[in-house]
Amino acid sequence: MTAQARHRADIIVLGAGIIGVSVALHLLRRGRSVIMVDRRLAGEETSYGNAGLIERSSVIPYGVPRDLPTLLRYGLNRSADVNFDWTYLPRIAPWLWRFWRESAPKPLARAAADMWPLIQRSVIEHEALMAEAGLLPQLRKTGWIESYRSEKTFARARKAAAALHEFGLNYDVLDTKALQQREPHLSDVLVGAVHWLDPATIADPGALVKAYAKLFADKGGVFLKGDAGKLQEEKGGWSIATDTDAATAPQVVVALGPWSDVVYRRLGYKIPLLMKRGYHIHFGSKGNSFLNRPVVDVDGGFLLAPMARGIRLTTGIEFAPRDSLPTPIQINRTEPRAREIFPLENRIEPKPWMGSRPCLPDMRPVIGRGARHSGLWFAFGHNHHGLTLGPATGRLLAEMMTGQDTFTDPAPFALDRFAR
């Protein structure tokens, strides 16, 4: 690296998804100079493909179901919610076993309590960044709907919602008639729903991340394209050769989502990160039909969301290697069922999009120091809630890195929990 090609800053942030961009913005707010590095432009990987939910009501992490019939359906690949690559199963069996144990009632309750301060601030922290970026009118504060085809599952949902009273969540229970008043183009295949009122949604999460990245640049941040695998520790800090330049800084943040292992493995850290793959595809709507907000068909195993490109159909979980070829079985399984509840037109794209959710078995992200290296910080592993928790994570990590009082205790997210 030549001296004239070097950019120097206080901090390098690796990753330009929602987590990395949020961390970078919050560090800038606190007077630090920041260089952000990614192999692609902001918001073009995992952050692009979600359902646009800022999920203020999702206070119980997505654990493993405890009932045997559901587990059998999952295990036999007979559910739209979960699909397994059987050749991958031996490699991930230890992770799944720990995930199963962490999903027991007491550990799951602890995880919910630990995650609640982040969830609680999710919409507030997005509002602050969106206001700064001039995007606040794009925030849709209309919640989302969890719908059911079966009276049995609907009854369970009402009971589960009532059990969350300690979190003070706002929701409405809707029968078929009330549901169709809120979403007039849903069919009567759905017998009822829970309308969660606290969450917010956006129509284009990829564009939101790009707008946050533009705010970062407007405030003096530097973005460079490059391969995070080229990060090097050097005397007094860190350096990375990018496509056109190079960057050096005393501190570095690894916020690479499902690619975070590219860095931490090479540095000698053993972190049980696993990817849950997911798919989406967009459809037009027949006639003048529309959706006002995202609708999850719980019994059908999919979500329909009104997005900038059309109605986005998103799937559940696929356990398969991050970089293996797409197998959009779940899209093909759920499309006919989606047509049963909403008048979809033809597919807009020629093939489904695929992305990977970075997941840890205890359902908490890693936010904090890499203890073996000076100036190394981590922020990844947000499971299904990267978009939801990006700004809150950015604030928490920036407070830690700049020695400020943190808005919540960061201990539950520390890396050393995996070393015990």
Side-chain angles (χ1 to χ4, degrees):
M1 291 184 287
T2 62
Q4 62 269 26
R6 287 199 174 209
H7 294 263
R8 290 181 172 83
D10 296 321
I11 301 160
I12 296 169
V13 174
L14 300 177
I18 185 60
I19 305 298
V21 170
S22 297
V23 169
L25 273 173
H26 275 281
L27 287 167
L28 279 182
R29 275 183 164 189
R30 288 157 178 80
R32 301 305 191 266
S33 57
V34 183
I35 297 170
M36 187 162 51
V37 178
D38 201 307
R39 63 182 182 179
R40 299 184 65 175
L41 297 177
E44 294 188 351
E45 294 280 8
T46 306
S47 295
Y48 165 78
N50 57 69
L53 290 173
I54 302 171
E55 232 309 51
R56 170 64 169 70
S57 66
S58 188
V59 296
I60 306 299
Y62 293 109
V64 180
R66 311 301 285 180
D67 61 294
L68 185 58
T70 299
L71 290 173
L72 285 174
R73 285 200 309 276
Y74 287 179
L76 296 172
N77 275 346
R78 292 180 180 174
S79 169
D81 297 329
V82 177
N83 189 63
F84 284 96
D85 174 350
W86 288 110
T87 63
Y88 188 47
L89 193 57
R91 291 167 53 187
I92 64 172
W95 190 97
L96 291 172
W97 172 240
R98 180 163 184 177
F99 187 33
W100 161 261
R101 289 187 290 120
E102 295 284 353
S103 300
K106 288 184 178 180
L108 193 64
R110 288 195 296 270
D114 288 341
M115 293 298 295
W116 174 235
L118 299 182
I119 295 287
Q120 192 174 27
R121 294 203 60 84
S122 57
V123 175
I124 295 169
E125 297 297 339
H126 266 287
E127 284 180 317
L129 291 187
M130 291 182 78
E132 201 172 351
L135 300 172
L136 205 52
Q138 296 182 23
L139 188 68
R140 304 181 297 197
K141 301 186 77 171
T142 55
W144 65 280
I145 288 175
E146 196 174 52
S147 65
Y148 297 87
R149 298 173 179 237
S150 156
E151 291 288 356
K152 183 178 179 180
T153 53
F154 184 32
R156 284 204 298 262
R158 296 196 299 270
K159 183 178 179 180
L164 299 176
H165 62 87
E166 65 183 284
F167 296 101
L169 302 178
N170 296 296
Y171 64 92
D172 291 334
V173 175
L174 311 175
D175 60 16
T176 302
K177 182 179 178 181
L179 173 58
Q180 290 182 336
Q181 286 174 343
R182 300 201 183 180
E183 294 293 347
H185 300 286
L186 291 178
S187 77
D188 58 9
V189 168
L190 301 171
V191 303
V194 177
H195 182 183
W196 298 99
L197 302 171
D198 298 304
T201 62
I202 55 171
D204 192 334
L208 177 72
V209 178
K210 287 183 180 297
Y212 286 170
K214 182 179 183 301
L215 178 64
F216 166 77
D218 290 345
K219 288 186 169 295
V222 175
F223 175 80
L224 300 174
K225 289 187 74 174
D227 179 0
K230 294 181 179 179
L231 180 72
Q232 297 291 330
E233 187 179 18
E234 59 180 33
K235 185 178 180 180
W238 301 86
S239 66
I240 183 169
T242 66
D243 291 358
T244 56
D245 299 289
T248 62
Q251 300 188 85
V252 63
V253 178
V254 179
L256 292 161
W259 293 276
S260 296
D261 62 339
V262 169
V263 174
Y264 73 68
R265 286 184 188 277
R266 192 161 53 83
L267 294 175
Y269 293 87
K270 294 182 179 179
I271 305 172
L273 185 70
L274 185 76
M275 273 42 87
K276 297 178 185 175
R277 303 205 307 184
Y279 298 82
H280 83 229
I281 196 162
H282 292 96
F283 295 84
S285 303
K286 290 182 178 179
N288 296 320
S289 58
F290 60 85
L291 287 174
N292 293 306
R293 57 187 61 78
V295 176
V296 176
D297 182 338
V298 176
D299 298 324
F302 63 88
L303 179 147
L304 293 177
M307 306 295 272
R309 294 200 64 189
I311 301 297
R312 180 176 287 185
L313 168 64
T314 70
T315 67
I317 296 163
E318 180 184 52
F319 287 105
R322 180 191 59 206
D323 300 321
S324 63
L325 292 175
T327 55
I329 295 168
Q330 290 155 294
I331 288 282
N332 296 330
R333 281 180 181 167
T334 55
E335 180 180 341
R337 305 207 77 184
R339 294 184 181 280
E340 293 173 358
I341 71 165
F342 184 81
L344 296 173
E345 262 288 359
N346 296 327
R347 295 185 179 189
I348 292 174
E349 299 110 332
K351 61 182 181 179
W353 175 90
M354 183 193 77
S356 296
R357 308 173 184 97
C359 300
L360 293 158
D362 65 353
M363 293 161 277
R364 301 162 178 85
V366 168
I367 305 172
R369 290 182 179 276
R372 293 202 205 103
H373 296 79
S374 176
L376 176 65
W377 300 82
F378 293 132
F380 60 83
H382 290 73
N383 292 274
H384 297 255
H385 295 311
L387 178 68
T388 295
L389 299 179
T393 295
R395 175 179 167 181
L396 179 60
L397 187 63
E399 288 170 346
M400 295 171 69
M401 293 179 70
T402 57
Q404 296 181 322
D405 291 337
T406 57
F407 73 87
T408 189
D409 182 5
F413 315 113
L415 179 62
D416 63 7
R417 70 188 193 266
F418 296 119
R420 289 197 286 265

